[in-house]
Amino acid sequence: REMNRARDLRGRGHGEYIELHKEEEMVKLIGRESRAVVHFTHPQFARCKILDQHLRVLAPHHFETRFVSISVERCPFLAQKFQIRVLPCLLLVDGGRVADRIVGFEELGNGDAFSTNTLERRLAKSKVIELPKGELARVPVAERPISYHVGYASQDADISDNDEDNAKELDY
């Protein structure tokens, strides 16, 4: 039973950080997934790229939650509907509704050098992921073993502070 559930989740993209290309995909995701982290992004914004790297590391460690991104250029209707005005912006979906959002990096230390663990704790505060218990709670995310039963993990991203453009949060 657990194997079938894990196989179903894997088939829907759990355990990976996936880019959506159409607004319709996003609408279906919100209606279908019990928990999701949705990154509204722009390909030219350095801070969006930083957040992408952290989310790529987190996705395989939080198999119960779907991690996706979508460019605001590809979803103008949804960007307007969800009042996305500052990027990066994460919508945190719980039970088929937007339960919380993270706008910019203010809640993550207000700088570009925040850790993946800082983002993980913030997502857990909104209850879209669960923090590990016991000994694993002290191990940095990138050093933890992948904990789901079916499938394979995405390749870990190399998080660096060297981005060619240091664009800050921009109004969109």
Side-chain angles (χ1 to χ4, degrees):
R1 189 177 200 192
E2 178 69 21
M3 292 249 324
N4 288 339
R5 182 178 180 278
R7 194 172 287 126
D8 177 54
L9 291 175
R10 180 73 186 148
R12 292 193 337 235
H14 285 250
E16 298 179 85
Y17 179 54
I18 297 171
E19 180 182 0
L20 301 179
H21 299 284
K22 297 178 183 173
E23 285 183 316
E24 298 81 32
E25 292 174 304
M26 173 71 172
V27 172
K28 286 179 187 175
L29 174 127
I30 290 175
R32 181 177 56 201
E33 301 297 340
S34 60
R35 291 194 283 189
V37 175
V38 180
H39 179 202
F40 280 85
T41 185
H42 190 285
Q44 301 302 314
F45 290 9
R47 283 193 158 185
C48 290
K49 293 174 187 175
I50 291 168
L51 199 51
D52 280 338
Q53 292 173 339
H54 290 292
L55 293 170
R56 268 190 209 96
V57 172
L58 284 170
H61 295 280
H62 296 283
F63 192 65
E64 73 284 356
T65 301
R66 182 90 188 270
F67 287 79
V68 299
S69 71
I70 189 164
S71 171
V72 291
E73 294 176 323
R74 294 184 185 194
C75 64
F77 171 77
L78 289 176
Q80 182 177 0
K81 178 181 173 167
F82 291 117
Q83 300 178 355
I84 308 297
R85 298 201 188 347
V86 175
L87 296 177
C89 180
L90 292 179
L91 293 186
L92 309 177
V93 177
D94 186 19
R97 66 176 188 78
V98 176
D100 199 0
R101 65 176 57 211
I102 301 172
V103 179
F105 287 176
E106 288 177 14
E107 294 182 66
L108 305 171
N110 210 21
D112 295 355
F114 65 91
S115 71
T116 303
N117 288 54
T118 298
L119 176 58
E120 181 183 51
R121 285 189 301 275
R122 175 57 182 87
L123 295 174
K125 180 180 173 186
S126 295
K127 301 189 184 335
V128 293
I129 64 168
E130 295 175 16
L131 290 175
K133 295 174 179 30
E135 293 294 318
L136 278 181
R138 291 191 289 267
V139 177
V141 178
E143 296 174 21
R144 285 185 212 145
I146 305 303
S147 61
Y148 57 87
H149 303 287
V150 176
Y152 59 93
S154 300
Q155 189 172 355
D156 283 344
D158 176 37
I159 298 174
S160 66
D161 296 326
N162 307 1
D163 212 319
E164 59 275 352
D165 57 340
N166 282 329
K168 300 295 179 194
E169 299 159 14
L170 299 176
D171 286 341
Y172 186 83

